[in-house]
Amino acid sequence: MTNTGHYNFETRKLLSSTINTEKMSREQLAVQRARKSFQTGKSKPLEYRLHQLKSLLRFITERRRDIADAVKRDLGKSENGTELFETLGLEGEIKLAVEKLAEWAAPRPVEKNLLTITDEVYVQPEPLGVVLIIGAWNYPWAVTLQPLVAAIAAGNAAIIKPSEVSSHSSKVMEELLPQYLDKDLYPVVTGGVSETQELLKQRFDHVFYTGSGTVGKIVMEAAARHLTPVTLELGGKSPCYIDKNCDISMACRRITWGKFVNCGQTCIAPDFVLCEPSIQSRVVEEIKKCIKEFYTENPETFEDYGRIINQHHFKRLMGLMEGNTVAVGGGSDESQCYIAPTVLKDVTAESNVMKEEIFGPLLPIITVSGVDEAIQFINEREKPLVLYIFSNDNKLIKRVIAETSSGALLANDCLVHFTVSALPFGGVGKSGMGCYHGRHGFNQLSHLRSCLIKQLNMEAFNNMRYPPHTAKKLGWARFFLLKQVNVGLLRRMALLAALAGLAAFVVQRFLQWG
Amino acid sequence: MERQAVQRAREAFLSGRARLVEFRLQQLHGLKRMITENETEISTALKQDINRSQYDTPLLELIGIECEIKLAIEKVAEWAAPRSVERNFLTISDEVYVQPEPLGVVLIIGAWNYPWALTLLPLVGAIAAGNAAVVKPSELSECSSLLLRALLPRYLDKDLYPVITGGVSETQELLRLRFDHVFYTGSGSVGKKVMEAAARHLTPVTLELGGKSPCYIDKNCDIRVACRRITWGKFVNCGQTCIAPDFILCEPCIQGRVVECLRLTLLEFYGADPKCSPDYGRIINTRHFNRVMGLMEGYTPVIGGQSDASQRYIAPTVLKDVPPHSRLMQDEIFGPLLPIVAVSDMDDAIRFINEREKPLALYIFCSDKKAAKRMIEETSSGGVVVNDVMMHYTLSSLPFGGVGQSGMGRYHGKHSFDQLSHQRACLVRSLGMENVNLSRYPPQDRRRARRVRMALKSPLIDMSKRTFVWAVTATVICFGLAVALLVILLIAAGLNCTCWYWRGFYNYW
């Protein structure tokens, strides 16, 4: 039994009675503990946030082995692969947050107008409260903990719900994270669909979801019931256009890397290739060469080539291959959930493989007559999470940018925009809403509160807004509201005038000495 | 009919003309002309809707809209330009920037209390960002909504910015359709429905809702001035303002003084009989009139309390010693009733505020800046104003919006533009410099991982042109100042080599 003594918004009654906590589910308890802990104000001071962030960093460095082990069992990824794709980025985010936190959390002064020229005007970032972070299974650590970095930096409490599909990582997170972070403020809640649904019934101050669009809709609908804002990092089919006049072997190297990393299970992987028929065979050849270079003749035995997460996805991917011409690879082993790096050529737009996000090591090539048809093809479909274009022609690149839309655009490489923390990472349309990384994550999980601090003097000035109204008063109001004054410029000119005055004074004195 | 209008708007958007900056400017100029050329008609419509005085219309709505349009016209080219971002070692020779882009077709659902400002301010943002917009004004402010439907097509592109009038069923029909953003101003209960409908299409939303905005008066401040400002904010538009101070919190010892000051100010503003004042408004309709009257039941006001159902008139009313759990203190009042709730001190007030939902605005009247800042620190709200009410609305550099139940998202000025744009991350690399990439390819080993770590660890560098120009200018100025200082020191030391030069200079004078 717990005595809460707070105001219940649903029943409009002041609850001084006790709540029967035995009847509350595990999820409800975790959320309630996190909220109470947040309300004590513990997570607000910067020192506390820095302490938690540094502990998180220690967790990643000290438990490197455990994390790599878990990822190997979940996705077949090598230890070095885990470091490169999961923990390195995470470390970078934490270090950036630690370095910049004081700057991000400080009041941000804004431009004033004539009416507020003597007032203090600024935007104050504040924590939102309790954030729900629902992670994904493809990069179980990066995609679950990077939003956590933003949540901690912004001063929130956070419920972490890792994906049950990456079961080993989720178990390790549940066991080890509480040894480094505050147990009440940042609880890890594991479980499947029903636990997630139970969580989504609770009230949060923000929900951060990474995963598929179908579940994204359910998450947003659940959040709507409490008027909770959401960040949805979804997916889509990220097109990759190769211009016939570019360095095709270099382009294919980068595409091969981007596609087959994590066995194609990356939300920003190039989903399919668009190119002219004349270069299709060259593209196939180059990719074949790169696959051999990266993953050896037999990727199945190669340490740095991963596996499909589970049987369900394995079967789904095998189904997508049906009816298409395999140009490279195509081999598989159900017992290991292994699918070889595969390229499909002459794929049609109506084929199964073009109906949903592939999320696997199948790379279809669709031929288009040129960049016009490519742009048309892209615009006929939902806005993707990222658009890739390989070309030496800057004008062509700019044209594609102007005539299409996507979460992000990357020219002449794959995936690396994820590592530039100054770039906002997120989707648009069906590929998601909201963004994060670096300062954007901090802003996303903060409330940027407008603050205007005036004085109680100069009341005569306000008379123009008070009734009884007259035309003359209105004239003054119009003047003060409409006259746009660049206060910054005025200040600089005043400073310049003062300096000039000082200089004149100094020169004059100097002349007197002489 | 709604479906067709939205379809036409989408086709018009896909034609690409809304994207061109010249087109956006042209439309914004058109909107400005609409406001300036039709001020009389707009005032008449508002008088019929809500008995808004002829001066309050420009003061509260039209000047603000004009201001936003002027700002957008001046700044749209700047806002729409690519925004460079800091780079790291890996991307030092690349083009890295954020490109703002239009979202597509935006649905704007307006409110009835400021039918022009709350419908057109989001429209300014939508046009500036290059979107098409379906405008759905509130049916409760009927005259304004019909006038808007008549006027807008005369000044703006008919297909890109259609006005759809109608009630609940037309709104529901609209919400079934797919948009690229929904901008809603109104109550929380409808806000939930809007967000649920938007969720079905994964459409992002901006919800400008409301709540009970508390107003704390510290016992040691200038109560007379505080009450003047509060009176203005509360009774403007007959209390039907989302950021009106909803209720007052103060210590019992100053309650009497507060009531007196409010009484004197009301006399000054609206005269002995506010019903006859041309500047005092009316309640929008009978349903809301009855709602507000119902809130007063069981309480004896210390000021006002009179009403006239035929005119939907409720006198400016103040109630004191209101218990925290009374009906008056449950929902947003949105009317000319000002309850005063007693609290023992500032800490009690903070506790009171924190026990309730985060409001759209918090007002603090206090001479002690430190105490005011503490109150800001220990509470949360959409916005906060110290020693005045509502003025944060007039400064377009401040983001205007709620938090928690008072809303999500924000707008005004550049924030409107950003809210209704997609900030697309762009990274343009070259196909050369492959050496930099070698460490990331398999086979992975520790040495390669270490190289990648080093490349990613590098600090972020701001390579924008503005920083470069500033750096060069600063260097030149500092160098110049250093030289000047050196010369002055040399002269002061009386060195012969420079003396004759300056003597010559002096003789010249």
Side-chain angles (χ1 to χ4, degrees):
Chain A
M1 293 292 208
T2 343
N3 193 334
T4 57
H6 71 272
Y7 188 76
N8 181 307
F9 300 114
E10 269 79 65
T11 62
R12 312 280 190 208
K13 286 193 181 65
L14 194 68
L15 261 178
S16 56
S17 57
T18 52
I19 285 181
N20 191 345
T21 49
E22 277 110 52
K23 291 225 178 76
M24 288 173 74
S25 63
R26 182 179 71 119
E27 291 77 24
Q28 270 178 306
L29 273 171
V31 177
Q32 199 195 48
R33 258 201 315 270
R35 190 166 289 286
K36 277 176 81 170
S37 201
F38 173 79
Q39 278 163 350
T40 62
K42 197 155 74 159
S43 61
K44 230 177 155 172
L46 292 187
E47 303 77 42
Y48 185 85
R49 303 184 209 183
L50 286 169
H51 173 78
Q52 294 296 304
L53 286 170
K54 288 181 182 154
S55 297
L56 190 61
L57 189 59
R58 261 186 322 119
F59 168 67
I60 296 172
T61 38
E62 284 174 18
R63 301 295 185 154
R64 202 189 295 275
R65 263 284 132 70
D66 299 285
I67 294 174
D69 251 341
V71 175
K72 180 135 195 94
R73 276 191 265 162
D74 282 326
L75 287 154
K77 205 184 286 183
S78 67
E79 186 176 333
N80 291 316
T82 296
E83 184 171 342
L84 185 61
F85 295 106
E86 296 233 44
T87 52
L88 213 57
L90 206 44
E91 273 179 59
E93 278 282 302
I94 300 175
K95 286 185 183 146
L96 181 69
V98 165
E99 183 191 325
K100 297 276 188 174
L101 186 61
E103 183 190 312
W104 293 347
R108 305 171 187 183
V110 298
E111 244 179 73
K112 299 191 220 183
N113 61 13
L114 263 181
L115 274 180
T116 47
I117 207 161
T118 53
D119 306 324
E120 242 187 278
V121 194
Y122 58 95
V123 172
Q124 176 64 59
E126 295 183 343
L128 288 169
V130 182
V131 177
L132 171 63
I133 299 172
I134 303 177
W137 52 261
N138 56 339
Y139 292 88
W141 296 89
V143 143
T144 315
L145 296 186
Q146 270 195 20
L148 178 62
V149 173
I152 298 175
N156 301 296
I159 311 289
I160 302 147
K161 164 66 187 68
S163 170
E164 69 281 11
V165 180
S166 49
S167 53
H168 298 101
S169 296
S170 142
K171 213 175 302 188
V172 168
M173 207 180 281
E174 189 182 20
E175 267 171 40
L176 296 183
L177 206 62
Q179 295 178 20
Y180 291 81
L181 296 185
D182 186 299
K183 278 185 258 298
D184 292 325
L185 277 174
Y186 316 109
V188 178
V189 177
T190 51
V193 174
S194 57
E195 285 80 7
T196 312
Q197 282 172 337
E198 183 61 32
L199 268 178
L200 286 170
K201 283 201 204 116
Q202 311 309 316
R203 182 176 166 180
F204 294 95
D205 299 287
H206 196 102
V207 177
F208 196 112
Y209 170 76
T210 308
S212 74
T214 2
V215 181
K217 284 184 192 175
I218 298 171
V219 169
M220 191 172 169
E221 273 175 25
R225 273 170 230 129
H226 296 289
L227 283 173
T228 299
V230 300
T231 304
L232 304 175
E233 296 280 329
L234 309 175
K237 294 183 75 61
S238 300
C240 184
Y241 175 70
I242 308 179
D243 183 31
K244 71 172 190 264
N245 295 323
C246 75
D247 180 350
I248 295 181
S249 71
M250 196 54 62
C252 290
R253 236 173 119 73
R254 298 180 181 184
I255 294 171
T256 309
W257 172 72
K259 177 67 180 187
F260 298 109
V261 122
N262 207 30
C263 216
Q265 297 162 118
T266 310
C267 51
I268 44 171
D271 192 273
F272 61 96
V273 164
L274 291 169
C275 67
E276 288 182 41
S278 52
I279 57 164
Q280 195 183 194
S281 34
R282 175 96 199 277
V283 166
V284 169
E285 269 317 298
E286 292 292 339
I287 295 181
K288 191 172 186 176
K289 258 200 292 190
C290 290
I291 291 174
K292 196 160 128 190
E293 181 194 331
F294 294 164
Y295 302 113
T296 73
E297 289 282 358
N298 196 358
E300 195 172 350
T301 54
F302 185 59
E303 189 198 24
D304 286 327
Y305 188 69
R307 295 291 180 268
I308 305 303
I309 184 81
N310 61 21
Q311 286 286 327
H312 161 75
H313 281 280
F314 176 87
K315 290 200 172 86
R316 178 184 67 84
L317 288 164
M318 294 308 291
L320 291 181
M321 254 204 282
E322 274 168 33
N324 290 302
T325 319
V326 174
V328 181
S332 61
D333 181 349
E334 191 164 339
S335 63
Q336 283 193 49
C337 283
Y338 162 79
I339 300 180
T342 302
V343 178
L344 308 162
K345 69 177 202 174
D346 291 320
V347 177
T348 58
E350 296 74 37
S351 153
N352 271 342
V353 79
M354 290 305 291
K355 296 259 167 66
E356 57 180 79
E357 188 177 356
I358 295 168
F359 227 67
L362 316 179
L363 181 59
I365 304 179
I366 297 187
T367 50
V368 286
S369 56
V371 75
D372 290 312
E373 198 188 326
I375 291 176
Q376 195 190 357
F377 190 96
I378 293 166
N379 286 340
E380 278 169 359
R381 288 160 177 73
E382 294 294 348
K383 296 176 189 176
L385 189 48
V386 60
L387 174 55
Y388 294 112
I389 166 161
F390 285 83
S391 172
N392 286 328
D393 182 357
N394 221 347
K395 273 179 74 182
L396 187 132
I397 295 174
K398 292 276 151 61
R399 190 182 147 206
V400 171
I401 294 179
E403 295 181 26
T404 59
S405 188
S406 60
L409 182 129
L410 181 39
N412 295 324
D413 209 339
C414 290
L415 313 185
V416 291
H417 63 297
F418 190 88
T419 64
V420 183
S421 49
L423 281 175
F425 183 82
V428 65
K430 294 286 207 265
S431 53
M433 57 180 82
C435 60
Y436 71 128
H437 282 185
R439 192 176 201 225
H440 305 284
F442 178 90
N443 286 345
Q444 184 85 169
L445 298 180
S446 298
H447 169 52
L448 301 174
R449 187 185 195 187
S450 297
C451 301
L452 172 56
I453 313 227
K454 296 184 82 90
Q455 315 276 17
L456 278 167
N457 54 12
M458 307 230 294
E459 178 62 1
F461 211 63
N462 282 338
N463 283 335
M464 62 178 132
R465 75 190 194 199
Y466 297 145
H469 294 305
T470 62
K472 185 162 161 201
K473 278 190 189 178
L474 184 64
W476 278 113
R478 197 185 281 273
F479 173 78
F480 278 103
L481 283 170
L482 275 177
K483 190 102 190 99
Q484 273 168 359
V485 167
N486 189 338
V487 176
L489 182 68
L490 273 183
R491 210 181 283 134
R492 280 196 290 275
M493 294 196 67
L495 189 65
L496 208 64
L499 276 176
L502 182 67
F505 174 73
V506 166
V507 169
Q508 202 225 17
R509 293 252 97 207
F510 168 72
L511 284 176
Q512 280 179 10
W513 293 340
Chain B
M1 194 207 49
E2 289 82 25
R3 194 176 289 270
Q4 280 169 345
V6 176
Q7 181 66 23
R8 257 199 317 269
R10 190 165 290 287
E11 278 161 18
F13 173 77
L14 289 170
S15 74
R17 66 179 182 272
R19 264 187 118 118
L20 302 164
V21 175
E22 303 77 46
F23 181 84
R24 303 184 209 184
L25 285 168
Q26 186 199 57
Q27 296 298 303
L28 288 170
H29 276 114
L31 195 61
K32 185 148 88 95
R33 272 201 330 270
M34 184 185 95
I35 298 291
T36 42
E37 287 172 14
N38 296 286
E39 192 172 318
T40 327
E41 284 83 358
I42 294 175
S43 288
T44 314
L46 279 167
K47 182 131 191 96
Q48 288 174 309
D49 281 329
I50 204 170
N51 200 46
R52 180 83 63 72
S53 84
Q54 101 187 89
Y55 294 110
D56 259 337
T57 291
L59 187 66
L60 302 172
E61 299 214 52
L62 303 183
I63 296 180
I65 301 173
E66 240 186 280
C67 216
E68 281 279 306
I69 299 176
K70 275 179 83 166
L71 182 69
I73 289 174
E74 186 191 321
K75 298 277 188 173
V76 71
E78 184 191 311
W79 292 344
R83 305 172 188 184
S84 76
V85 298
E86 294 159 347
R87 295 182 224 184
N88 60 18
F89 183 67
L90 258 183
T91 50
I92 203 157
S93 57
D94 307 323
E95 256 185 84
V96 193
Y97 60 95
V98 171
Q99 174 65 60
E101 293 185 339
L103 289 169
V105 183
V106 176
L107 171 63
I108 299 173
I109 303 177
W112 52 260
N113 54 338
Y114 293 88
W116 295 85
L118 296 177
T119 315
L120 295 183
L121 249 55
L123 180 61
V124 172
I127 298 175
N131 299 297
V134 174
V135 179
K136 163 66 186 67
S138 170
E139 68 279 14
L140 291 189
S141 47
E142 204 179 337
C143 304
S144 296
S145 131
L146 291 171
L147 182 59
L148 185 66
R149 190 178 69 181
L151 286 180
L152 210 68
R154 280 194 242 155
Y155 293 84
L156 297 188
D157 186 302
K158 276 187 257 299
D159 294 323
L160 280 171
Y161 316 109
V163 179
I164 302 204
T165 49
V168 174
S169 56
E170 283 80 5
T171 312
Q172 281 172 337
E173 184 56 41
L174 271 176
L175 286 170
R176 271 193 270 273
L177 304 172
R178 183 175 167 185
F179 292 94
D180 299 288
H181 195 103
V182 177
F183 196 113
Y184 169 76
T185 308
S187 75
S189 40
V190 180
K192 285 183 191 175
K193 298 203 186 96
V194 169
M195 191 173 171
E196 273 174 27
R200 274 169 230 130
H201 296 288
L202 283 172
T203 300
V205 299
T206 303
L207 304 176
E208 297 280 328
L209 310 174
K212 293 180 79 58
S213 300
C215 184
Y216 173 71
I217 308 179
D218 186 57
K219 68 175 190 263
N220 294 322
C221 75
D222 184 342
I223 296 181
R224 187 191 68 88
V225 173
C227 288
R228 273 173 83 74
R229 297 179 182 187
I230 294 170
T231 308
W232 169 70
K234 176 65 181 188
F235 298 106
V236 96
N237 209 33
C238 212
Q240 297 162 117
T241 310
C242 49
I243 42 171
D246 191 275
F247 61 95
I248 290 179
L249 291 169
C250 68
E251 290 180 44
C253 54
I254 58 162
Q255 202 175 190
R257 179 95 208 282
V258 166
V259 169
E260 265 324 290
C261 291
L262 289 171
R263 191 194 306 275
L264 284 170
T265 313
L266 280 168
L267 193 60
E268 183 194 331
F269 287 179
Y270 302 113
D273 186 9
K275 202 170 172 187
C276 306
S277 163
D279 298 320
Y280 190 70
R282 298 291 181 266
I283 304 298
I284 183 80
N285 63 17
T286 315
R287 182 171 72 86
H288 279 279
F289 175 87
N290 291 334
R291 179 187 65 81
V292 177
M293 290 307 291
L295 291 176
M296 258 204 285
E297 261 170 48
Y299 294 102
T300 315
V302 288
I303 302 177
Q306 305 89 352
S307 61
D308 179 349
S310 64
Q311 283 194 35
R312 299 191 307 277
Y313 164 80
I314 302 179
T317 303
V318 178
L319 307 107
K320 68 175 203 174
D321 290 317
V322 176
H325 315 305
S326 61
R327 272 184 76 185
L328 262 174
M329 292 303 294
Q330 303 307 312
D331 292 316
E332 189 174 359
I333 294 170
F334 227 69
L337 312 182
L338 182 55
I340 305 179
V341 178
V343 285
S344 52
D345 56 18
M346 189 182 252
D347 288 306
D348 195 20
I350 291 174
R351 208 175 5 250
F352 190 96
I353 293 166
N354 286 340
E355 278 170 357
R356 287 159 177 73
E357 293 295 349
K358 295 175 189 175
L360 187 49
L362 171 60
Y363 301 115
I364 305 171
F365 286 85
C366 183
S367 304
D368 180 358
K369 212 187 222 183
K370 264 180 82 180
K373 289 235 163 121
R374 183 173 75 89
M375 195 166 193
I376 296 178
E377 169 85 19
E378 295 182 22
T379 56
S380 187
S381 60
V384 61
V385 184
V386 175
N387 293 327
D388 208 337
V389 296
M390 315 206 307
M391 293 306 284
H392 61 306
Y393 185 89
T394 62
L395 188 54
S396 54
S397 55
L398 279 176
F400 182 81
V403 65
Q405 301 292 294
S406 53
M408 57 180 81
R410 66 265 189 85
Y411 71 129
H412 282 188
K414 187 178 195 229
H415 306 286
S416 302
F417 179 92
D418 287 340
Q419 185 85 169
L420 298 177
S421 299
H422 168 52
Q423 311 291 333
R424 188 185 197 183
C426 295
L427 173 54
V428 182
R429 312 198 81 191
S430 80
L431 277 168
M433 305 243 304
E434 184 61 357
N435 294 330
V436 183
N437 285 341
L438 287 176
S439 332
R440 74 191 195 194
Y441 298 132
Q444 239 58 72
D445 61 30
R446 285 220 69 83
R447 208 181 52 187
R448 285 189 169 186
R450 213 184 356 256
R451 260 195 240 132
V452 175
R453 183 195 292 276
M454 279 210 50
L456 285 178
K457 252 168 79 159
S458 71
L460 297 175
I461 311 156
D462 185 355
M463 301 270 290
S464 67
K465 199 177 273 181
R466 217 173 64 169
T467 315
F468 180 72
V469 167
W470 164 238
V472 167
T473 317
T475 313
V476 166
I477 291 176
C478 285
F479 188 67
L481 282 173
V483 166
L485 186 66
L486 197 65
V487 167
I488 291 174
L489 284 174
L490 284 172
I491 293 166
L495 278 179
N496 284 327
C497 55
T498 44
C499 246
W500 65 264
Y501 177 77
W502 284 107
R503 212 175 279 137
F505 179 74
Y506 189 62
N507 284 340
Y508 177 77
W509 279 100

